[in-house]
Amino acid sequence: TLERAQLYNVLIVQYTLLARYTDAIETGREALRLLGVYLPERALHAAFDAELARYRRLLRGRALATLADDPECVDPEKRVALELLSNMVVPARYTDSTLFGLVSILNVNFSLEHGPTAKSTVGYSAFGMVLNAAMNEYREAYELGDLALRIATRFADLAQKCQACFMLGHYLSPWVKHL
């Protein structure tokens, strides 16, 4: 099951590179199902609202900056699920804005529940974009972007650090730290 999910992950990346975003999303849904994670096809707004409430509960008043020090996710299935969700962010963004928000917050909630990996940076910065654009939560969005950068630095993952810097500089910082 784990190997099959990892193969689906490669297919998600290939479909994304070919701009076959719907195929990437469907492949991701199938891969996540193998791991017991269900991404709904309908009622996305309700699913997003439920995940947002779960996010608030999981934070329990913790400062976002402290999350970078959480113990790393060690469960192989959870790590693959996080990678799948991370690779689904781009096709979701080009397919459906609500799906983009849902995939992003699912990544964040997985990281909060099971611990971060280098791929958590994608979820934190993408969810920051959602908070910025759809909810006008500029300060929290910036803090999520900063958290993404801290996690990428912690795991010494230069690709994720590059992405976190791009998201922070392009989408999140201008709303709270203008020139």
Side-chain angles (χ1 to χ4, degrees), residues 14 18 133 141 145 176:
Q14 288 178 341
L18 293 170
V176 282

Side-chain angles (χ1 to χ4, degrees), residues 21 25 88-101 103:
Y21 304 125
I25 295 299
M88 292 173 70
V89 164
V90 170
R93 182 162 186 241
Y94 291 117
T95 308
D96 180 318
S97 61
T98 306
L99 181 62
F100 171 69
V103 167

